[in-house]
Amino acid sequence: DTEVTQTPKHLVMGMTNKKSLKCEQHMGHRAMYWYKQKAKKPPELMFVYSYEKLSINESVPSRFSPECPNSSLLNLHLHALQPEDSALYLCASSPRVAQETQYFGPGTRLLVL
Amino acid sequence: AQSVTQPDIHITVSEGASLELRCNYSYGATPYLFWYVQSPGQGLQLLLKYFSGDTLVQGIKGFEAEFKRSQSSFNLRKPSVHWSDAAEYFCAVGYGQNFVFGPGTRLSVLP
């Protein structure tokens, strides 16, 4: 099973709302990632978790708050977002953080009004 | 500077024609190399990867790619394109703890 699941598929939120994105994998991978993808652009790395610890934070604004409750789950908490944060948010996982193949979920399409 | 380039922003081919998508990278050592495909509004699906060994790698959906160290290239090919291959294609490079995508090539397929 090489599946990464993400919920919800779509999310519309106002700038004062708090919401969360969820990602799950059951492949035993110990590295998980959040990417942001704008239209017609490649994915941009936001966060990397390795063995449930934050390994890389690519200077992401604090209105995005990642959380890794266990080795299978990755959350992205959203608060006070801006309209320019509207994008496709992709989760990925890999066996380890080291050049290895990343497996992607279908993404959450976020619209901030 | 280290980078991944895909020189073609958009390619249009007729169904049944052959396809080659170009990817070049700039790194000190041979990184791990990947090709992903993304249909509109969807996640990324791995087509194939190269870590070491045989420089011609086979992937899913009839795709193959060839690693050429002398040219720092990892071009994707398919002998006969199907209408369902229309999508965005991303070359990606893994080195150390980093994973970098190229800008992507959009493939359109004419009936």
Side-chain angles (χ1 to χ4, degrees):
Chain A
D1 182 10
T2 57
E3 188 178 27
V4 176
T5 59
Q6 290 186 244
T7 54
K9 290 191 188 316
H10 302 276
L11 179 61
V12 179
M13 61 186 290
M15 289 189 285
T16 59
N17 292 158
K18 287 185 180 181
K19 297 287 185 182
S20 296
L21 309 185
K22 180 180 173 181
C23 173
E24 194 165 4
Q25 58 88 13
H26 294 288
M27 295 177 277
H29 290 175
R30 303 313 300 270
M32 297 185 76
Y33 311 77
W34 280 115
Y35 288 86
K36 174 183 178 180
Q37 187 180 25
K38 302 286 275 186
K40 301 186 187 301
K41 296 291 186 183
E44 296 176 10
L45 183 65
M46 301 174 71
F47 303 103
V48 179
Y49 272 83
S50 177
Y51 290 86
E52 294 100 70
K53 291 189 183 343
L54 185 62
S55 173
I56 295 176
N57 176 342
E58 292 287 355
S59 303
V60 178
S62 60
R63 57 185 184 268
F64 295 92
S65 176
E67 178 196 21
C68 190
N70 59 57
S71 60
S72 300
L73 283 175
L74 185 66
N75 298 320
L76 185 63
H77 303 298
L78 315 173
H79 174 54
L81 294 193
Q82 303 297 310
E84 59 264 30
D85 296 322
S86 299
L88 182 68
Y89 287 84
L90 294 164
C91 174
S93 71
S94 65
R96 296 167 301 149
V97 177
Q99 304 173 271
E100 297 196 47
T101 305
Q102 293 189 20
Y103 296 91
F104 284 81
T108 293
R109 175 73 62 188
L110 174 66
L111 177 61
V112 182
L113 300 176
Chain B
Q2 297 169 330
S3 65
V4 182
T5 57
Q6 294 178 247
D8 304 303
I9 296 174
H10 183 203
I11 285 182
T12 299
V13 299
S14 297
E15 192 169 17
S18 64
L19 171 70
E20 182 170 34
L21 302 181
R22 296 180 289 165
C23 173
N24 292 94
Y25 64 91
S26 174
Y27 292 98
T30 300
Y32 289 8
L33 299 161
F34 307 85
W35 275 100
Y36 286 86
V37 62
Q38 185 178 33
S39 297
Q42 302 296 313
L44 279 73
Q45 182 180 24
L46 178 71
L47 286 176
L48 45 77
K49 60 188 176 186
Y50 174 78
F51 288 178
S52 64
D54 191 346
T55 56
L56 184 64
V57 292
Q58 302 298 319
I60 62 171
K61 304 186 179 188
F63 285 93
E64 66 177 26
E66 185 172 14
F67 169 61
K68 292 186 177 180
R69 185 188 305 275
S70 61
Q71 298 177 19
S72 297
S73 69
F74 188 56
N75 293 349
L76 182 71
R77 300 194 294 248
K78 186 170 185 178
S80 178
V81 170
H82 188 264
W83 64 266
S84 61
D85 293 324
E88 189 84 20
Y89 290 80
F90 292 100
C91 179
V93 164
Y95 64 101
Q97 291 195 40
N98 297 287
F99 201 89
V100 178
F101 286 92
T105 297
R106 183 161 62 95
L107 174 65
S108 296
V109 180
L110 299 175

